[in-house]
Amino acid sequence: MDENLKDKILGQIEEQHLEPTPGWWFRLVRALKHSAVAILFALTALGLAGSVYILVESGTLYDLRLGPRWRRPGLFDFPWQLLVLVVLLGVLSFIVLRRTARLYRVARWWLVLALIVAVVAGAGGAYATNLTRLTFHTGPGRELFRHGGNPFGGMHDRAVIGIVVSRTARQWVVDSLTGERWLVIITEETYFPAGSDIPVGTIVRVVGRRGKSTITALGIRPVTGMDDLMGQGGMMGQGGMMGPGINIPGAP
Amino acid sequence: MEKRAQEPTDEQLVRLALTDRDAFGALVERYERPLTLYAARLVGRQEAEDVVQQAFLQVYRNLAGFDPHLTFSAWVYRIVHNTAVNMSRKRHGTVPTELELDGETVELLTGNTDVPAEALQEELKGSVSRALSQLDQRSRDVLLLSVVEGKSYSEIADILMVAVNSVGPTVSRAKSKLRKQLETPSREAPVAEPHTL
């Protein structure tokens, strides 16, 4: 072994004018790492809450409850963009977290479990406090995820014309004239231009966000003779006078 | 004994070394031999000194960032380990799987205290080296640190940045794999002689 290793090292320090990096630099890096963990965690939780919000809004979750015919929610009804983002952010949180504050000493699966619990709790908090609604309905997420977090297509669709088969305060079943059965979700935002007192057996026009077999209704009104005058799609349908998401025209 | 009690601890030396280069010299003096031996086992004697030099320069630059929750020993071993791996990758494109073993290391790894004749010793070294090369990188590192370097599980966790409770099982698995490899008669005829320290 070289006897002068110490002298060599000290000589190099002298020669290269090396100095220890100041302490504030390390404190800054540590602070940035901790902030990154906090931001990543918050974004992951918000993303998860947003996915649930979009699933509820699109009615896909209701699909799951309706038995065989509606058993499989459509591929296009899932907020894939957002879910992929949640997974990526989750993995990134894990990596940064594990390199922070000696957390590598904790078994990997415990850390994953703790992260999942924390993200789910955070998402629950975001959902319960309406933060998700503010972000994804009226805030920045509206534009970013205007297709419901789904890169393949939108949730708003043509109006459905059908007959009301049954109705409760929150859900109606409507058989369309083309033979499909739709579960219509009524929310506090559903607009009834002709009033909500529509009896079973009435032919109605429903506008809203479509799932595979559900529609979160933005508006419902009985079909009138005027619709026939407006051609296929009617007043509220695509190509009609009023597109979906805009005010439904007044009652006849 | 009294003199030993007055010796500053590593952590005290680290604090002093921020302003006093002699204190850093004392740290280098304290660790240069074990670290050079460790680096030599990882990347060979030829490159060990370069690795240790580079590692100590890095230690010096990062003294203020030393995490007091770690022991200095674990920290400096981690830096040497990473420097060795990086340097080896840079120079050879890979981390060597056949480690350079001396008689003492072979003795520690095999648990055999009877020193065989020189020719047999060389053969044994070859067998142990080959058996070690059959282990995965992580098992080899853990085994080396635990059995040869005598590090505690907690220190190994800090050096390799792994979970503490995974170290014990990895050591047991690696030992039993090594034993199995050594018990299996080698089918290769000539043995490439590994270098010794």
Side-chain angles (χ1 to χ4, degrees):
Chain A
M1 192 181 297
D2 198 330
E3 293 297 323
N4 297 319
L5 186 59
K6 176 187 146 189
D7 294 338
K8 271 188 188 174
I9 292 167
L10 292 179
Q12 281 201 16
I13 290 173
E14 192 77 43
E15 203 177 290
Q16 295 176 27
H17 306 292
L18 290 181
E19 285 298 330
T21 311
W24 63 262
W25 171 255
F26 294 99
R27 284 193 291 277
L28 179 70
V29 170
R30 219 169 292 148
L32 285 175
K33 269 190 193 173
H34 290 154
S35 310
V37 169
I39 291 168
L40 282 170
F41 163 76
L43 286 176
T44 313
L46 190 61
L48 185 64
S51 302
V52 174
Y53 174 77
I54 287 170
L55 283 170
V56 170
E57 282 285 290
S58 67
T60 308
L61 282 187
Y62 290 97
D63 264 359
L64 298 171
R65 297 183 200 149
L66 281 181
R69 186 174 166 191
W70 293 274
R71 198 170 43 201
R72 289 185 190 163
L75 179 77
F76 296 110
D77 294 340
F78 264 96
W80 295 113
Q81 275 176 338
L82 209 48
L83 286 170
V84 167
L85 207 60
V86 166
V87 172
L88 286 179
L89 287 171
V91 171
L92 212 57
S93 309
F94 172 79
I95 292 169
V96 182
L97 192 63
R98 198 146 187 271
R99 292 184 164 272
T100 312
R102 293 175 88 210
L103 279 171
Y104 55 81
R105 289 171 67 98
V106 181
R108 199 171 291 151
W109 286 111
W110 281 114
L111 203 58
V112 169
L113 195 71
L115 194 65
I116 289 173
V117 169
V119 165
V120 169
Y127 199 89
T129 54
N130 254 347
L131 183 62
T132 314
R133 186 186 157 88
L134 288 172
T135 312
F136 289 90
H137 191 73
T138 54
R142 187 178 185 183
E143 273 307 303
L144 201 59
F145 299 102
R146 65 200 153 97
H147 295 309
N150 171 3
F152 306 111
M155 302 273 183
H156 292 266
D157 216 321
R158 284 180 295 125
V160 165
I161 299 171
I163 188 162
V164 180
V165 176
S166 68
R167 54 168 292 181
T168 64
R170 311 298 299 174
Q171 299 174 6
W172 294 16
V173 176
V174 173
D175 279 350
S176 77
L177 300 182
T178 50
E180 298 153 314
R181 172 158 289 189
W182 294 93
L183 180 74
V184 179
I185 315 293
I186 311 295
T187 68
E188 58 193 21
E189 287 167 5
T190 307
Y191 178 50
F192 294 95
S196 62
D197 192 17
I198 300 172
V200 171
T202 312
I203 296 178
V204 289
R205 180 181 289 277
V206 182
V207 173
R209 293 191 192 92
R210 274 205 214 177
K212 190 180 178 188
S213 54
T214 60
I215 303 172
T216 303
L218 292 174
I220 303 174
R221 72 172 173 84
V223 171
T224 64
M226 209 176 157
D227 288 306
D228 300 329
L229 296 174
M230 303 307 291
Q232 201 182 6
M235 287 170 71
M236 290 181 293
Q238 245 173 14
M241 280 172 69
M242 308 297 280
I246 311 173
N247 277 347
I248 293 173
Chain B
M1 200 69 182
E2 204 175 288
K3 194 185 167 191
R4 206 170 170 74
Q6 284 171 353
E7 271 183 21
T9 62
D10 289 346
E11 286 68 28
Q12 284 170 333
L13 279 177
V14 169
R15 273 197 298 278
L16 285 173
L18 283 166
T19 49
D20 178 5
R21 214 164 274 174
D22 288 339
F24 185 68
L27 274 173
V28 174
E29 222 165 49
R30 207 174 267 188
Y31 280 96
E32 64 176 319
R33 188 176 157 73
L35 288 176
T36 309
L37 286 171
Y38 178 60
R41 285 178 189 122
L42 290 177
V43 291
R45 196 169 41 170
Q46 310 265 316
E47 291 177 12
E49 208 173 276
D50 282 355
V51 167
V52 175
Q53 264 191 53
Q54 280 224 13
F56 268 117
L57 294 181
Q58 208 176 323
V59 167
Y60 186 68
R61 273 192 296 259
N62 292 292
L63 275 174
F66 169 63
D67 179 357
H69 295 103
L70 294 174
T71 60
F72 178 76
S73 162
W75 188 55
V76 78
Y77 262 83
R78 184 196 289 176
I79 293 175
V80 166
H81 183 92
N82 291 344
T83 309
V85 170
N86 291 340
M87 195 182 273
S88 196
R89 279 202 186 123
K90 208 169 170 183
R91 289 185 182 174
H92 313 292
T94 177
V95 183
T97 51
E98 288 220 3
L99 305 179
E100 286 197 6
L101 305 173
D102 56 4
E104 192 194 341
T105 311
V106 172
E107 206 177 293
L108 286 165
L109 286 168
T110 55
N112 185 1
T113 49
D114 295 335
V115 182
E118 206 172 312
L120 287 173
Q121 201 180 26
E122 285 305 313
E123 200 180 312
L124 184 63
K125 271 184 207 169
S127 315
V128 174
S129 180
R130 271 197 311 280
L132 276 175
S133 69
Q134 299 296 314
L135 300 177
D136 60 281
Q137 179 77 44
R138 178 50 50 82
S139 305
R140 208 163 40 235
D141 291 342
V142 169
L143 194 67
L144 205 61
L145 284 166
S146 168
V147 178
V148 181
E149 303 293 330
K151 298 288 174 198
S152 68
Y153 288 176
S154 173
E155 268 191 308
I156 294 172
D158 282 332
I159 294 167
L160 299 176
M161 296 181 82
V162 294
V164 182
N165 57 7
S166 74
V167 175
T170 309
V171 171
S172 313
R173 262 199 313 275
K175 273 183 181 171
S176 95
K177 263 190 192 171
L178 190 69
R179 210 172 301 127
K180 259 185 211 162
Q181 293 283 344
L182 288 173
E183 279 165 11
T184 315
S186 172
R187 263 171 262 169
E188 289 169 38
V191 175
E193 269 191 26
H195 313 280
T196 50
L197 289 171

